[in-house]
Amino acid sequence: MATIINSPRDPNTLSNYNNWILTHITANFDILFDQKKLAGNVVHQLKSITDAQSQDIILDANHLDIGDVKVDGKQSQWELLPPLESYGTALKIKLGHAVKLNETIEVDISVKTTEKCTALQWLTPAQTSNKKYPYMFSQCQAIHARSIFPCQDTPDVKSTLDFNITSPHPVIASGLPVRDSPPEPQPDGKSLYRFHQTVPIPSYLFALASGDISEATIGPRSVVATSPDKIEECKWELEADTEKFINAIEKIVYSYAWGEYNVLILPPSFPYGGMENPIFTFATPSIISKDRENVDVIAHELAHSWSGNLVTNASWEHFWLNEGWTTYLERRILGAVHGEPYRHFSAIIGWKALSDSVEHFGRDHEFTKLVIDLKGKDPDDAFSSIPYEKGFNFLFHLETLLGRAKFDKFIPHYFTVFREKSLDSYEFKTTVLDFFQSDLEASKLLNNLDWDKWFYAPGLPPKPHFDTSLVDVVYELARKWQSLPESSFKPQASDIHGLAANQLVVFLEQVLLSEQLRPDLTKLMGEVYGLYKSENIEVANLYFQVGLKAGDESVLEPTASLLGRIGRMKFVRPLYRNLQKVNRTLAIKTFEKNRDFYHPICRAMVEKDLFGKKDN
Ligand code: BES
Ligand code: ZN
């Protein structure tokens, strides 16, 4: 791949954000469900930050249909640069006159998305819950915003936003609704929905969704939004914990900055567990498990309101600053609400995910480092549990090294220093060292810490000591199963009475570690414990993994059926990988059948996994 010029810090943008920075965006879009397109214009305020009298503006763009471009009201020359794989066809706007340092210009670009857009999914009424109306939603992280409109698609630049969106159906966006202007009816049966985001945010947090969406209160500053036929069960799932979580983290960091904290439960093809879009977390319906056992996803997305959304990684090479910090804060919330053993329990689950990822990539792989090299690469390919869990372990190590009381003082300091800014790992290190400078004992420990090893050594970090009180019982149960058929262990439904779903997850992970799994025994396990029918998808998924590994044919059909009901990549990708080992024909048939159901990102990833190629 060609070298990218003018890309300070972030190698995954083609924009020249070292010459210009985007300070405000007005996004005017019409949601055209019949064409499966957004059409409208974006107006960018761009500030010159160089004396170089640069006359060109380069913005990221991918698969866009661009109309005319006006600079300060006048038509301007523009061209699309040759495509660079994963990074797109950048838009070069020629100014024709010099702009002085600190001066701002207004660039107005007419734009339509195309069917190749990777950030949007369009669902037919048949693909929605109550099958009445079409639906659309966006997912911009990491570098997909550029397939909605031209922008500086880098987490190193933040802008405030105005959204003016027309749609025949309710609209949700990553901004607060303009309260004094309720949806304005338009001539064609559509309404205009207006939102503001007054806190500067990076492009990857731009978000939109529209469809048959209703809302219900889940706390004093929170609503859940979803299809009207699902609203009651979503309300029940989230109303007990949301405000508790917000209160817990406000004590650890500082008060919530965004006004409202809401959750949108999406249709099942949403490719992630959750996405921390400001004001409205977007979440998979698979967290609505009717047992309130998957709300840790909400604790996680809520925590991003500080780590990620206020304090942001400067590039995807330092993604651990977003996800490692968020995983750390998520577990502090869980510890505050359910007690310290639960925090450790969650960290143990995380350690397993970390070891699996290291094994998947290989111990020496670049993507097993905390700080990674993404030059010429696609951030989606690097995505794994490593930044989450290695990042968590690094922060947990600092907490243990310094002592909780001292580390707790650092947390609000860090989030204050970098509030509304982006940073890299080197700035993180300097900030830690500076903060503890006058504390001789802490300084000594920090100076002796092998920072480079933490940042750049591939593979697993040292394993900390975790409190195992919540896992011991399920490890013991897994041992009993492993002792079969020789031992006299008689499995009964009561073995799992009183266990939380997450404990069942740990049990099944432990069972999965067995070298030899007998299909008759795994089948028995499913029958005795009712695992086939679990409404908790984490449990069902792992049970199918166990069955597939054992070669139990009776899990094939339920696995294929689950793959048609959920598009969350965390489940879909491993299930396809393992299904194809047992029955490749069924895996391919299932994929072809559900192709249109999956989100474009998920579809591309599964294609890579199954056929080793990229969708285009
Ligand atoms: N920001 C991520 C999701 C993401 C990461 C989307 C990278 C696109 C590119 C989100 O906060 C997340 O981590 N979600 C997890 C939830 C979990 C760790 C509780 C998920 O989707 O599983
Ligand atoms: Zn996250």
Side-chain angles (χ1 to χ4, degrees):
M1 164 169 284
T3 335
I4 297 148
I5 310 157
N6 277 342
S7 297
R9 286 224 273 202
D10 182 356
N12 303 134
T13 177
L14 300 174
S15 73
N16 57 344
Y17 79 92
N18 54 339
N19 291 354
W20 298 95
I21 51 165
L22 185 47
T23 57
H24 183 78
I25 302 173
T26 307
N28 306 310
F29 281 116
D30 199 357
I31 303 183
L32 304 174
F33 282 102
D34 50 344
Q35 296 181 40
K36 302 190 170 176
K37 279 177 187 169
L38 293 182
N41 66 317
V42 284
V43 184
H44 289 333
Q45 305 290 332
L46 284 152
K47 192 168 120 183
S48 163
I49 53 162
T50 169
D51 259 335
Q53 308 221 320
S54 160
Q55 301 192 351
D56 292 337
I57 300 163
I58 302 174
L59 299 174
D60 290 299
N62 202 10
H63 308 308
L64 291 176
D65 181 355
I66 292 174
D68 54 38
V69 176
K70 286 191 211 117
V71 176
D72 289 334
K74 286 195 214 87
Q75 292 283 350
S76 187
Q77 298 273 314
W78 59 272
E79 64 176 317
L80 290 178
L81 300 180
L84 271 179
E85 202 193 333
S86 328
Y87 301 154
T89 45
L91 169 67
K92 183 168 169 177
I93 301 168
K94 294 172 195 161
L95 280 191
H97 64 278
V99 174
K100 293 201 199 88
L101 177 70
N102 289 331
E103 262 179 30
T104 294
I105 57 167
E106 189 177 274
V107 177
D108 183 338
I109 306 165
S110 322
V111 61
K112 241 184 178 187
T113 59
T114 66
E115 61 196 15
K116 287 189 168 177
C117 175
T118 54
L120 301 176
Q121 189 176 19
W122 299 86
L123 303 175
T124 60
Q127 290 170 309
T128 67
S129 179
N130 61 7
K131 321 230 176 289
K132 282 193 188 155
Y133 303 109
Y135 196 101
M136 64 78 62
F137 66 89
S138 67
Q139 167 54 48
C140 289
Q141 196 180 15
I143 56 168
H144 299 282
R146 64 189 69 176
S147 80
I148 301 183
F149 57 83
C151 58
Q152 293 181 329
D153 200 5
T154 165
D156 210 5
V157 172
K158 297 186 177 189
S159 332
T160 49
L161 272 147
D162 287 320
F163 302 74
N164 299 307
I165 311 293
T166 46
S167 174
H169 304 295
V171 175
I172 275 168
S174 46
L176 283 172
V178 180
R179 291 288 178 210
D180 55 6
S181 126
E184 298 162 28
Q186 305 291 299
D188 44 7
K190 296 182 176 180
S191 294
L192 169 65
Y193 295 81
R194 300 175 58 206
F195 308 85
H196 288 320
Q197 182 48 268
T198 54
V199 181
I201 57 169
S203 56
Y204 78 90
L205 293 177
F206 176 91
L208 280 182
S210 184
D212 192 7
I213 298 170
S214 58
E215 293 183 357
T217 301
I218 51 167
R221 39 187 152 172
S222 308
V223 299
V224 63
T226 198
S227 175
D229 60 314
K230 292 280 162 61
I231 193 77
E232 279 310 315
E233 57 189 71
C234 293
K235 177 178 163 69
W236 182 85
E237 199 85 26
L238 304 178
E239 68 188 353
D241 297 295
T242 306
E243 182 63 19
K244 262 194 222 163
F245 289 169
I246 306 177
N247 286 325
I249 188 167
E250 285 187 319
K251 291 204 184 79
I252 300 165
V253 193
Y254 49 63
S255 57
Y256 185 71
W258 306 84
E260 299 173 16
Y261 176 76
N262 304 318
V263 180
L264 171 68
I265 301 294
L266 286 114
S269 60
F270 187 64
Y272 292 97
M275 176 65 212
E276 65 271 26
N277 296 316
I279 317 292
F280 255 105
T281 281
F282 283 20
T284 165
S286 65
I287 67 167
I288 309 301
S289 45
K290 306 197 166 94
D291 55 7
R292 294 181 174 161
E293 289 252 22
N294 284 305
V295 283
D296 47 353
V297 173
I298 299 302
H300 179 96
E301 304 314 332
L302 167 69
H304 273 303
S305 308
W306 290 262
S307 46
N309 297 6
L310 277 184
V311 175
T312 311
N313 51 216
S315 83
W316 305 113
E317 301 188 318
H318 303 272
F319 189 42
W320 78 272
L321 287 169
N322 273 20
E323 296 300 345
W325 260 111
T326 299
T327 304
Y328 178 82
L329 291 174
E330 169 199 340
R331 292 186 179 141
R332 288 293 301 265
I333 296 174
L334 297 175
V337 174
H338 302 299
E340 193 60 4
Y342 194 89
R343 176 165 88 119
H344 284 245
F345 174 60
S346 173
I348 293 170
I349 298 180
W351 184 270
K352 173 74 170 61
L354 176 61
S355 346
D356 287 351
S357 293
V358 168
E359 200 177 307
H360 171 74
F361 283 123
R363 264 180 302 181
D364 295 323
H365 197 281
E366 178 66 25
F367 295 162
T368 67
K369 296 176 185 172
L370 195 58
V371 180
I372 61 176
D373 179 0
L374 279 176
K375 273 189 270 328
K377 295 183 190 147
D378 181 347
D380 279 346
D381 289 335
F383 182 76
S384 80
S385 294
I386 303 214
Y388 293 74
E389 299 300 341
K390 206 173 200 180
F392 164 80
N393 275 283
F394 182 41
L395 295 168
F396 188 65
H397 183 76
L398 288 175
E399 178 201 304
T400 316
L401 186 73
L402 297 164
R404 171 95 159 236
K406 284 186 188 176
F407 192 67
D408 276 2
K409 292 216 172 64
F410 173 71
I411 298 175
H413 170 76
Y414 167 71
F415 285 98
T416 303
V417 171
F418 292 101
R419 185 177 174 131
E420 298 186 12
K421 296 192 170 69
S422 305
L423 82 156
D424 58 29
S425 304
Y426 323 114
E427 290 174 291
F428 172 76
K429 176 179 170 186
T430 316
T431 311
V432 177
L433 293 175
D434 285 353
F435 183 75
F436 290 105
Q437 204 172 27
S438 55
D439 179 333
L440 291 182
E441 196 194 336
S443 289
K444 194 162 166 231
L445 292 166
L446 291 168
N447 285 315
N448 287 334
L449 182 70
D450 196 341
W451 291 82
D452 282 352
K453 192 165 179 193
W454 273 102
F455 285 173
Y456 305 117
L460 288 174
K463 186 170 181 178
H465 174 75
F466 293 126
D467 173 338
T468 59
S469 52
L470 287 164
V471 292
D472 288 338
V473 13
V474 289
Y475 284 172
E476 181 52 32
L477 184 61
R479 260 193 297 277
K480 287 187 186 158
W481 277 92
Q482 280 152 349
S483 69
L484 287 177
E486 287 79 21
S487 76
S488 60
F489 171 56
K490 294 261 173 323
Q492 322 176 9
S494 61
D495 298 345
I496 62 163
H497 278 170
L499 290 185
N502 281 329
Q503 285 177 298
L504 275 180
V505 164
V506 175
F507 163 71
L508 290 166
E509 282 179 347
Q510 213 48 35
V511 171
L512 255 185
L513 289 177
S514 321
E515 296 276 309
Q516 289 280 313
L517 282 171
R518 286 180 38 162
D520 55 333
L521 291 178
T522 61
K523 190 158 184 252
L524 178 70
M525 180 188 291
E527 283 160 6
V528 178
Y529 297 160
L531 300 173
Y532 286 103
K533 313 184 285 268
S534 180
E535 288 236 38
N536 189 305
I537 192 167
E538 299 275 352
V539 173
N541 164 56
L542 272 166
Y543 175 65
F544 295 152
Q545 298 287 3
V546 167
L548 290 174
K549 183 165 176 191
D552 169 12
E553 302 252 316
S554 70
V555 300
L556 292 178
E557 195 279 319
T559 302
S561 149
L562 186 67
L563 284 167
R565 279 181 283 125
I566 193 74
R568 181 177 173 188
M569 290 195 278
K570 174 180 178 185
F571 306 123
V572 172
R573 295 186 67 188
L575 282 174
Y576 272 115
R577 278 196 221 118
N578 293 320
L579 181 60
Q580 72 156 340
K581 286 187 201 152
V582 186
N583 187 333
R584 186 164 160 86
T585 318
L586 179 63
I588 292 171
K589 198 177 110 197
T590 308
F591 176 66
E592 293 305 341
K593 188 168 150 202
N594 296 308
R595 210 169 200 291
D596 292 340
F597 162 66
Y598 298 129
H599 186 278
I601 300 172
C602 176
R603 198 185 302 143
M605 289 293 163
V606 175
E607 282 216 315
K608 273 190 201 177
D609 293 341
L610 286 180
F611 309 108
K613 69 168 186 188
K614 201 180 163 171
D615 201 10
N616 51 36

